[in-house]
Amino acid sequence: MTGLRSQSFGLGVLRPEAFGAEPSGERLARIRRSPHFKDGVFQNPGGPARTRPTGSTLDLAKVFLDKGTRPLRAPKGTVPVHPTTYADLAEPAAGGLRLTWMGHSSVLAEIDGHRVLFDPVWGERCSPFPFAGPKRLHPVPLPLAALGPVDVVVISHDHYDHLDLPTIKALAGTDTVFAVPLGVGAHLEHWGVCADRLRELDWHESTRVGGLTLTATPARHFCGRGLRNTQHTLWASWAVAGEEHRIYHSGDTGYFDGFKDIGAAHGPFDATMIQIGAYSEFWTDIHMTPDEGLRAHLDLQGGAPHGVLLPIHWGTFNLAPHPWAEPGEWTKEAAEEAGQAVALPRPGEPFEPVGKLPAQAWWRDVSGDVRRTWRAVGALVAEPPARGHAGHVG
């Protein structure tokens, strides 16, 4: 079977190459010395976080298989992808900072003359197998090679929708540097990335790449690619500072008070890229709702609206029971009510935070009505409001 390798552990089962490699040697020793590693696992900030769904398997299955809501979890038409070209990205950002959301959590950030690529996923599925698992709901906006040179690739954690084997293998043939959380370097070396191109960081550690300072900051999540989840690789959010600008990428995280500390130490930020999708009442500890994502952004900015919020981790893969378009609609409404500037680009649409922000609710043309179920107090999933096209706001 393509992509499977024989591994010596257990009974010699066939192990998909996409599973990566477990940390060992000095890398494992460094993990064990981490102040965030205790009782054989990395610990979450804010206390223990449940990393498995709450409730029974039957309850979860009922939600995912519900005939009434299942069709809402995918677009009804073709997702509009912006026709970005190499020439578009070759032109320097007028204001020194430009962001291009490629879908899900993948973002190209051009900051003070340097190019940072966050969580690049160009594969067709976020899965260890090419024939199964969540499939893209829209194509990548442009080929990976069309991005041009990238100074540093930043990985938030090792889940398949953030660390993609075919993408990493393609980037391994370039001279880019990889900034990754502690332990994740084992996967990249296994896939052909030279050790001297890795910057492997624990929380609160920083590295310099050209004129940028990249700092791994805490997040409330978990790790794991194989059949066992050993919690031996760290997950992180990232603060990136250039000569003039500062940006933040949340990776995947539940809400916690530590956003305030991150903002105090590394902000305020000209732009934040915040996870607002794939939330559910079944895993509230490890993913944020749009309301929580907005709250995290405000915490990072010292408690008041500042900079630009770019919603990420939605629109590309069907990973949760909420409607496909709900994260965009909910974020748009919440940000407008808070007076916070929010960018809502189509996948592949570059924008500059100091310029005119993309603000059109482009998803409405391919999603139908978006029910404002989030208006139900104290619930992630609730009965739709009694009135008609309530989702068309702002």
Side-chain angles (χ1 to χ4, degrees):
M1 184 179 295
T2 302
L4 296 185
R5 291 182 175 179
S6 178
Q7 205 65 355
S8 61
F9 70 92
L11 298 176
V13 299
L14 289 176
R15 177 183 173 91
E17 186 181 13
F19 277 10
E22 294 283 347
S24 61
E26 176 52 34
R27 178 177 278 117
L28 182 57
R30 187 180 168 206
I31 286 170
R32 289 170 173 164
R33 293 194 300 267
S34 169
H36 310 110
F37 192 78
K38 182 181 179 182
D39 298 329
V41 295
F42 279 110
Q43 305 293 314
N44 264 302
R50 186 179 178 91
T51 61
R52 300 295 182 188
T54 58
S56 68
T57 302
L58 180 60
D59 290 338
L60 187 61
K62 285 180 178 179
V63 171
F64 268 93
L65 298 176
D66 181 81
K67 293 182 179 179
T69 60
R70 188 175 181 181
L72 300 177
R73 298 205 298 272
K76 297 180 181 297
T78 301
V79 175
V81 175
H82 186 80
T84 307
T85 66
Y86 177 83
D88 294 331
L89 299 177
E91 187 71 22
L97 177 61
R98 180 168 60 205
L99 302 178
T100 307
W101 179 54
M102 300 296 177
H104 203 57
S105 295
S106 303
V107 181
L108 175 67
E110 299 166 87
I111 173 172
D112 299 336
H114 300 83
R115 307 177 98 230
V116 183
L117 185 58
F118 291 95
D119 283 357
V121 174
W122 258 249
E124 188 65 17
R125 297 181 185 271
C126 50
S127 165
F129 308 107
F131 53 84
K135 190 176 182 180
R136 284 186 163 274
L137 300 174
H138 64 80
V140 290
L142 74 170
L144 190 62
L147 292 181
V150 173
D151 296 291
V152 56
V153 173
V154 176
I155 304 297
S156 64
H157 63 297
D158 71 359
H159 286 160
Y160 295 104
D161 57 323
H162 297 260
L163 181 62
D164 179 55
L165 170 62
T167 305
I168 297 300
K169 283 203 160 188
L171 291 166
T174 70
D175 59 0
T176 188
V177 171
F178 291 81
V180 302
L182 191 55
V184 174
H187 298 311
L188 273 62
E189 282 194 64
H190 185 64
W191 298 332
V193 177
C194 296
D196 61 3
R197 287 165 52 204
L198 291 173
R199 307 289 186 269
E200 201 163 344
L201 306 183
D202 201 347
W203 290 338
H204 310 299
E205 291 182 342
S206 299
T207 188
R208 291 281 294 179
V209 178
L212 301 178
T213 299
L214 301 98
T215 305
T217 47
R220 189 167 166 79
H221 201 57
F222 68 111
C223 68
R225 292 181 74 87
L227 299 176
R228 299 175 300 162
N229 180 12
T230 58
Q231 296 292 73
H232 273 180
T233 66
L234 189 59
W235 49 97
S237 56
W238 289 86
V240 179
E243 292 182 1
E244 300 291 336
H245 296 91
R246 294 170 179 264
I247 57 177
Y248 172 85
H249 189 284
S250 72
D252 279 0
T253 182
Y255 179 81
F256 67 111
D257 287 340
F259 292 114
K260 299 173 184 176
D261 297 328
I262 294 170
H266 304 286
F269 298 98
D270 298 281
T272 68
M273 297 154 272
I274 302 288
Q275 172 260 305
I276 53 88
Y279 48 84
S280 170
E281 61 186 347
F282 290 98
W283 49 79
T284 56
D285 285 352
I286 55 173
H287 280 286
M288 293 189 292
T289 66
D291 271 345
E292 291 171 322
L294 173 62
R295 183 179 173 191
H297 171 90
L298 296 175
D299 285 353
L300 290 161
Q301 306 290 35
H306 180 81
V308 174
L309 166 61
L310 171 62
I312 61 171
H313 203 266
W314 75 287
T316 303
F317 298 106
N318 183 351
L319 302 176
H322 62 67
W324 169 76
E326 185 178 270
E329 195 74 45
W330 186 350
T331 302
K332 178 177 172 63
E333 179 175 297
E336 288 174 351
E337 288 182 354
Q340 170 59 52
V342 60
L344 300 167
R346 293 171 292 169
E349 183 178 3
F351 72 92
E352 297 195 31
V354 295
K356 182 179 180 181
L357 299 179
Q360 180 184 3
W362 52 266
W363 54 85
R364 293 176 184 167
D365 293 335
V366 293
S367 66
D369 294 333
V370 181
R371 303 170 182 174
R372 295 164 69 188
T373 58
W374 57 88
R375 285 300 192 186
V377 178
L380 283 173
V381 180
E383 292 296 323
R387 50 201 179 93
H389 304 286
H392 288 232
V393 297

